[in-house]
Amino acid sequence: MDDSPAREADGIAELQALLSALAYDLTRPRSHELLVAMAGMPVDRAGLALLRVLVDEGEPMRIGRIAERLGVRTPHVTRQVRELERQGLVVRVEEAADRRAQRITPTVRGLDTLARVDRAAQAMLTESLAGVTAHQIGDAIEVLRRISGHRRGRQAGEPPD
């Protein structure tokens, strides 16, 4: 295999173009609509992102912390939490030490919604990757982890989270 600097640069340029196209496709409203229709769970993209943060954190979170994790302003999260509460996907829980303070946690329905959407996304991905070997998928995972780690400010060679 030719590992010349020019070939490497061409590969990186092609990877960048593919990542840009993929990011665009994954964030298109139509893609989201298809995914939630497959899952049978009507929730918007911002709501799914918020649910994912709560599930990844594994414990109830304050709105300000959710906003930090999502990289958005607190009022945006407050509005989103209200909508998710209305849908029965999250609830507010009081802190034992300070009853005025509240944290947000997903409900069983919220957990189920995220699980259904994830299963639908995995089904779409499985179909897209038909014929791709487990080794190739593993290589892709490693490349994407490196890119993701770099984007979050991790130094080269530092292990992923």
Side-chain angles (χ1 to χ4, degrees):
M1 186 169 131
D2 181 12
D3 283 339
S4 69
R7 177 134 171 96
E8 182 178 337
D10 289 346
I12 289 172
E14 184 175 358
L15 179 60
Q16 187 277 323
L18 286 169
L19 288 171
S20 292
L22 180 61
Y24 174 76
D25 187 49
L26 290 174
T27 59
R28 288 179 50 215
R30 180 68 186 124
S31 297
H32 174 78
E33 291 166 9
L34 175 63
L35 190 60
V36 295
M38 287 177 62
M41 302 304 286
V43 62
D44 65 15
R45 290 182 298 174
L48 279 178
L50 195 151
L51 281 171
R52 188 164 313 284
V53 164
L54 291 172
V55 169
D56 289 349
E57 189 70 21
E59 62 185 25
M61 296 175 69
R62 287 187 177 192
I63 286 180
R65 177 72 178 123
I66 297 168
E68 283 177 27
R69 289 278 309 274
L70 290 171
V72 298
R73 294 182 27 208
T74 302
H76 173 75
V77 174
T78 300
R79 283 189 300 274
Q80 192 64 48
V81 164
R82 269 193 235 118
E83 177 58 25
L84 293 176
E85 281 179 309
R86 189 187 67 70
Q87 292 177 306
L89 302 176
V90 301
V91 294
R92 296 173 193 257
V93 293
E94 292 179 351
E95 286 190 19
D98 181 358
R99 296 179 58 107
R100 294 171 297 165
Q102 295 181 337
R103 294 181 184 255
I104 311 304
T105 193
T107 61
V108 170
R109 181 178 173 164
L111 295 171
D112 181 57
T113 295
L114 189 59
R116 284 177 178 228
V117 170
D118 283 349
R119 282 193 301 271
Q122 289 168 11
M124 289 172 66
L125 197 52
T126 297
E127 184 179 320
S128 297
L129 295 174
V132 177
T133 68
H135 181 74
Q136 290 171 312
I137 292 170
D139 287 347
I141 290 168
E142 176 59 28
V143 167
L144 293 172
R145 279 187 180 150
R146 284 178 174 227
I147 291 168
S148 177
H150 177 74
R151 303 261 319 138
R152 283 183 269 161
R154 194 175 299 122
Q155 298 298 316
E158 194 176 328
D161 294 333

